[in-house]
PDB file of all heavy atoms in Angstrom:
ATOM      1  N   GLY A 730     -12.490  24.631  -3.709  1.00 86.00           N
ATOM      2  CA  GLY A 730     -12.273  25.570  -4.845  1.00 86.00           C
ATOM      3  C   GLY A 730     -12.097  27.017  -4.469  1.00 86.00           C
ATOM      4  O   GLY A 730     -11.533  27.797  -5.269  1.00 86.00           O
ATOM      5  N   ARG A 731     -12.520  27.348  -3.266  1.00 91.00           N
ATOM      6  CA  ARG A 731     -12.258  28.751  -2.879  1.00 91.00           C
ATOM      7  C   ARG A 731     -10.863  28.940  -2.184  1.00 91.00           C
ATOM      8  O   ARG A 731     -10.498  30.079  -2.040  1.00 91.00           O
ATOM      9  CB  ARG A 731     -13.342  29.080  -1.792  1.00 91.00           C
ATOM     10  CG  ARG A 731     -14.853  29.161  -2.256  1.00 91.00           C
ATOM     11  CD  ARG A 731     -15.804  29.116  -1.175  1.00 91.00           C
ATOM     12  NE  ARG A 731     -15.607  30.176  -0.202  1.00 91.00           N
ATOM     13  CZ  ARG A 731     -16.286  31.162  -0.050  1.00 91.00           C
ATOM     14  NH1 ARG A 731     -17.309  31.406  -0.960  1.00 91.00           N
ATOM     15  NH2 ARG A 731     -16.158  32.108   0.948  1.00 91.00           N
ATOM     16  N   ILE A 732     -10.184  27.937  -1.785  1.00 93.00           N
ATOM     17  CA  ILE A 732      -8.949  28.087  -1.081  1.00 93.00           C
ATOM     18  C   ILE A 732      -7.828  28.177  -2.126  1.00 93.00           C
ATOM     19  O   ILE A 732      -7.696  27.335  -3.040  1.00 93.00           O
ATOM     20  CB  ILE A 732      -8.741  26.894  -0.205  1.00 93.00           C
ATOM     21  CG1 ILE A 732      -9.836  26.823   0.929  1.00 93.00           C
ATOM     22  CG2 ILE A 732      -7.341  26.979   0.480  1.00 93.00           C
ATOM     23  CD1 ILE A 732      -9.674  25.619   1.815  1.00 93.00           C
ATOM     24  N   ARG A 733      -7.083  29.198  -2.056  1.00 91.00           N
ATOM     25  CA  ARG A 733      -5.873  29.367  -2.924  1.00 91.00           C
ATOM     26  C   ARG A 733      -4.656  29.343  -2.070  1.00 91.00           C
ATOM     27  O   ARG A 733      -4.465  30.160  -1.168  1.00 91.00           O
ATOM     28  CB  ARG A 733      -6.018  30.769  -3.605  1.00 91.00           C
ATOM     29  CG  ARG A 733      -7.181  30.849  -4.441  1.00 91.00           C
ATOM     30  CD  ARG A 733      -6.988  30.051  -5.795  1.00 91.00           C
ATOM     31  NE  ARG A 733      -8.203  30.119  -6.779  1.00 91.00           N
ATOM     32  CZ  ARG A 733      -9.191  29.363  -6.759  1.00 91.00           C
ATOM     33  NH1 ARG A 733      -9.241  28.351  -5.933  1.00 91.00           N
ATOM     34  NH2 ARG A 733     -10.226  29.561  -7.522  1.00 91.00           N
ATOM     35  N   ILE A 734      -3.732  28.465  -2.347  1.00 94.00           N
ATOM     36  CA  ILE A 734      -2.454  28.303  -1.714  1.00 94.00           C
ATOM     37  C   ILE A 734      -1.347  28.706  -2.825  1.00 94.00           C
ATOM     38  O   ILE A 734      -1.268  28.072  -3.754  1.00 94.00           O
ATOM     39  CB  ILE A 734      -2.273  26.947  -1.155  1.00 94.00           C
ATOM     40  CG1 ILE A 734      -3.367  26.412  -0.354  1.00 94.00           C
ATOM     41  CG2 ILE A 734      -0.833  26.837  -0.457  1.00 94.00           C
ATOM     42  CD1 ILE A 734      -3.614  27.132   0.918  1.00 94.00           C
ATOM     43  N   SER A 735      -0.549  29.824  -2.455  1.00 95.00           N
ATOM     44  CA  SER A 735       0.452  30.225  -3.378  1.00 95.00           C
ATOM     45  C   SER A 735       1.682  29.305  -3.261  1.00 95.00           C
ATOM     46  O   SER A 735       1.914  28.653  -2.251  1.00 95.00           O
ATOM     47  CB  SER A 735       0.818  31.677  -3.123  1.00 95.00           C
ATOM     48  OG  SER A 735       1.534  31.833  -1.875  1.00 95.00           O
ATOM     49  N   GLU A 736       2.580  29.316  -4.268  1.00 94.00           N
ATOM     50  CA  GLU A 736       3.753  28.635  -4.174  1.00 94.00           C
ATOM     51  C   GLU A 736       4.710  29.124  -3.113  1.00 94.00           C
ATOM     52  O   GLU A 736       5.450  28.481  -2.467  1.00 94.00           O
ATOM     53  CB  GLU A 736       4.499  28.693  -5.670  1.00 94.00           C
ATOM     54  CG  GLU A 736       3.782  27.940  -6.797  1.00 94.00           C
ATOM     55  CD  GLU A 736       3.634  26.456  -6.401  1.00 94.00           C
ATOM     56  OE1 GLU A 736       4.548  25.845  -5.963  1.00 94.00           O
ATOM     57  OE2 GLU A 736       2.501  25.996  -6.697  1.00 94.00           O
ATOM     58  N   GLN A 737       4.639  30.526  -2.895  1.00 96.00           N
ATOM     59  CA  GLN A 737       5.503  31.057  -1.807  1.00 96.00           C
ATOM     60  C   GLN A 737       5.005  30.510  -0.478  1.00 96.00           C
ATOM     61  O   GLN A 737       5.868  30.264   0.362  1.00 96.00           O
ATOM     62  CB  GLN A 737       5.432  32.591  -1.929  1.00 96.00           C
ATOM     63  CG  GLN A 737       6.322  33.318  -0.851  1.00 96.00           C
ATOM     64  CD  GLN A 737       7.729  32.957  -1.145  1.00 96.00           C
ATOM     65  OE1 GLN A 737       8.213  33.030  -2.358  1.00 96.00           O
ATOM     66  NE2 GLN A 737       8.504  32.499  -0.182  1.00 96.00           N
ATOM     67  N   GLU A 738       3.724  30.425  -0.269  1.00 94.00           N
ATOM     68  CA  GLU A 738       3.194  29.865   1.072  1.00 94.00           C
ATOM     69  C   GLU A 738       3.766  28.455   1.287  1.00 94.00           C
ATOM     70  O   GLU A 738       4.109  28.022   2.355  1.00 94.00           O
ATOM     71  CB  GLU A 738       1.580  29.887   1.076  1.00 94.00           C
ATOM     72  CG  GLU A 738       1.040  31.277   1.162  1.00 94.00           C
ATOM     73  CD  GLU A 738      -0.439  31.271   1.158  1.00 94.00           C
ATOM     74  OE1 GLU A 738      -1.033  31.152   0.009  1.00 94.00           O
ATOM     75  OE2 GLU A 738      -1.099  31.286   2.225  1.00 94.00           O
ATOM     76  N   ILE A 739       3.722  27.707   0.153  1.00 92.00           N
ATOM     77  CA  ILE A 739       4.162  26.341   0.284  1.00 92.00           C
ATOM     78  C   ILE A 739       5.711  26.299   0.585  1.00 92.00           C
ATOM     79  O   ILE A 739       6.181  25.616   1.508  1.00 92.00           O
ATOM     80  CB  ILE A 739       4.012  25.609  -1.077  1.00 92.00           C
ATOM     81  CG1 ILE A 739       2.472  25.362  -1.232  1.00 92.00           C
ATOM     82  CG2 ILE A 739       4.748  24.143  -1.014  1.00 92.00           C
ATOM     83  CD1 ILE A 739       2.156  24.756  -2.615  1.00 92.00           C
ATOM     84  N   SER A 740       6.434  27.123  -0.023  1.00 92.00           N
ATOM     85  CA  SER A 740       7.927  27.191   0.282  1.00 92.00           C
ATOM     86  C   SER A 740       8.223  27.668   1.753  1.00 92.00           C
ATOM     87  O   SER A 740       9.101  27.051   2.335  1.00 92.00           O
ATOM     88  CB  SER A 740       8.632  28.287  -0.725  1.00 92.00           C
ATOM     89  OG  SER A 740       8.447  27.778  -1.987  1.00 92.00           O
ATOM     90  N   ASN A 741       7.413  28.627   2.225  1.00 92.00           N
ATOM     91  CA  ASN A 741       7.564  29.045   3.588  1.00 92.00           C
ATOM     92  C   ASN A 741       7.246  27.991   4.580  1.00 92.00           C
ATOM     93  O   ASN A 741       7.907  27.793   5.562  1.00 92.00           O
ATOM     94  CB  ASN A 741       6.749  30.343   3.857  1.00 92.00           C
ATOM     95  CG  ASN A 741       7.230  31.482   3.103  1.00 92.00           C
ATOM     96  OD1 ASN A 741       8.326  31.547   2.686  1.00 92.00           O
ATOM     97  ND2 ASN A 741       6.283  32.477   2.924  1.00 92.00           N
ATOM     98  N   PHE A 742       6.083  27.223   4.281  1.00 89.00           N
ATOM     99  CA  PHE A 742       5.727  26.171   5.248  1.00 89.00           C
ATOM    100  C   PHE A 742       6.748  25.047   5.225  1.00 89.00           C
ATOM    101  O   PHE A 742       7.060  24.546   6.343  1.00 89.00           O
ATOM    102  CB  PHE A 742       4.379  25.654   4.585  1.00 89.00           C
ATOM    103  CG  PHE A 742       3.882  24.434   5.346  1.00 89.00           C
ATOM    104  CD1 PHE A 742       3.592  24.441   6.808  1.00 89.00           C
ATOM    105  CD2 PHE A 742       3.852  23.118   4.829  1.00 89.00           C
ATOM    106  CE1 PHE A 742       3.156  23.355   7.329  1.00 89.00           C
ATOM    107  CE2 PHE A 742       3.419  21.971   5.434  1.00 89.00           C
ATOM    108  CZ  PHE A 742       2.962  22.153   6.700  1.00 89.00           C
ATOM    109  N   LEU A 743       7.347  24.759   3.981  1.00 87.00           N
ATOM    110  CA  LEU A 743       8.415  23.648   4.075  1.00 87.00           C
ATOM    111  C   LEU A 743       9.641  23.991   4.836  1.00 87.00           C
ATOM    112  O   LEU A 743      10.397  23.045   5.134  1.00 87.00           O
ATOM    113  CB  LEU A 743       8.659  23.289   2.594  1.00 87.00           C
ATOM    114  CG  LEU A 743       7.618  22.700   1.766  1.00 87.00           C
ATOM    115  CD1 LEU A 743       7.985  22.515   0.315  1.00 87.00           C
ATOM    116  CD2 LEU A 743       7.282  21.285   2.317  1.00 87.00           C
ATOM    117  N   LYS A 744       9.847  25.261   5.064  1.00 86.00           N
ATOM    118  CA  LYS A 744      11.027  25.587   5.901  1.00 86.00           C
ATOM    119  C   LYS A 744      10.860  25.464   7.407  1.00 86.00           C
ATOM    120  O   LYS A 744      11.659  25.425   8.186  1.00 86.00           O
ATOM    121  CB  LYS A 744      11.372  27.091   5.600  1.00 86.00           C
ATOM    122  CG  LYS A 744      11.907  27.286   4.328  1.00 86.00           C
ATOM    123  CD  LYS A 744      12.093  28.799   4.058  1.00 86.00           C
ATOM    124  CE  LYS A 744      12.454  29.086   2.537  1.00 86.00           C
ATOM    125  NZ  LYS A 744      12.695  30.610   2.303  1.00 86.00           N
ATOM    126  N   SER A 745       9.529  25.193   7.776  1.00 85.00           N
ATOM    127  CA  SER A 745       9.132  25.064   9.184  1.00 85.00           C
ATOM    128  C   SER A 745       9.402  23.666   9.791  1.00 85.00           C
ATOM    129  O   SER A 745       9.380  22.708   9.070  1.00 85.00           O
ATOM    130  CB  SER A 745       7.731  25.573   9.486  1.00 85.00           C
ATOM    131  OG  SER A 745       6.835  24.578   8.951  1.00 85.00           O
ATOM    132  N   ALA A 746       9.589  23.617  11.074  1.00 75.00           N
ATOM    133  CA  ALA A 746       9.730  22.327  11.729  1.00 75.00           C
ATOM    134  C   ALA A 746       8.452  21.574  11.695  1.00 75.00           C
ATOM    135  O   ALA A 746       8.369  20.395  11.624  1.00 75.00           O
ATOM    136  CB  ALA A 746      10.244  22.572  13.243  1.00 75.00           C
ATOM    137  N   ASP A 747       7.258  22.392  11.668  1.00 78.00           N
ATOM    138  CA  ASP A 747       5.945  21.778  11.584  1.00 78.00           C
ATOM    139  C   ASP A 747       5.785  20.965  10.327  1.00 78.00           C
ATOM    140  O   ASP A 747       5.233  19.870  10.392  1.00 78.00           O
ATOM    141  CB  ASP A 747       4.971  22.879  11.717  1.00 78.00           C
ATOM    142  CG  ASP A 747       3.563  22.453  11.878  1.00 78.00           C
ATOM    143  OD1 ASP A 747       3.359  21.256  12.386  1.00 78.00           O
ATOM    144  OD2 ASP A 747       2.601  23.148  11.525  1.00 78.00           O
ATOM    145  N   ALA A 748       6.388  21.472   9.266  1.00 80.00           N
ATOM    146  CA  ALA A 748       6.259  20.831   8.013  1.00 80.00           C
ATOM    147  C   ALA A 748       6.893  19.428   7.981  1.00 80.00           C
ATOM    148  O   ALA A 748       6.429  18.486   7.392  1.00 80.00           O
ATOM    149  CB  ALA A 748       6.818  21.724   6.889  1.00 80.00           C
ATOM    150  N   GLN A 749       8.096  19.367   8.720  1.00 72.00           N
ATOM    151  CA  GLN A 749       8.907  18.201   8.746  1.00 72.00           C
ATOM    152  C   GLN A 749       8.052  17.052   9.374  1.00 72.00           C
ATOM    153  O   GLN A 749       8.161  15.946   8.949  1.00 72.00           O
ATOM    154  CB  GLN A 749      10.289  18.409   9.329  1.00 72.00           C
ATOM    155  CG  GLN A 749      11.094  19.402   8.699  1.00 72.00           C
ATOM    156  CD  GLN A 749      11.253  19.183   7.241  1.00 72.00           C
ATOM    157  OE1 GLN A 749      11.613  18.159   6.848  1.00 72.00           O
ATOM    158  NE2 GLN A 749      10.963  20.166   6.453  1.00 72.00           N
TER     159      GLN A 749
END
Side-chain angles (χ1 to χ4, degrees):
R731 291 165 56 104
I732 298 172
R733 297 287 182 268
I734 308 295
S735 70
E736 292 301 316
Q737 187 59 51
E738 287 178 281
I739 293 174
S740 297
N741 293 341
F742 173 67
L743 289 174
K744 294 175 184 177
S745 69
D747 192 23
Q749 299 310 308

